[in-house]
Amino acid sequence: MAYTFEITKDKAGEYRVAFKYNSEKMFTTEGYSSKASAKNAIESMKKNGPGADVVDNSDG
């Protein structure tokens, strides 16, 4: 599958989750103090993401 979640650790020591399509980052989360919190964020996105509403605030 071309879609992946990638957990990395930034310079401040926080864990971040990137959602990628092939090798391109689609988005990155806020920083989490523990890897477990980053993994929980992934599970939340998997569970709640498919049913999420789209809100267009682009004024157009």
Side-chain angles (χ1 to χ4, degrees), residues 2-42:
Y3 293 97
T4 58
F5 288 99
E6 176 184 60
I7 299 173
T8 57
K9 197 170 187 181
D10 65 18
K11 292 178 183 179
E14 293 185 322
Y15 295 92
R16 295 185 181 271
V17 176
F19 182 69
K20 298 174 101 177
Y21 176 69
N22 292 327
S23 61
E24 182 180 346
K25 283 186 185 178
M26 304 298 285
F27 67 83
T28 305
T29 65
E30 63 182 297
Y32 296 99
S33 59
S34 70
K35 189 183 285 190
S37 293
K39 288 182 178 182
N40 286 339
I42 292 169

Side-chain angles (χ1 to χ4, degrees), residues 45-54:
M45 286 183 267
K46 286 181 176 180
K47 178 181 175 185
N48 300 304
D53 292 332
V54 175

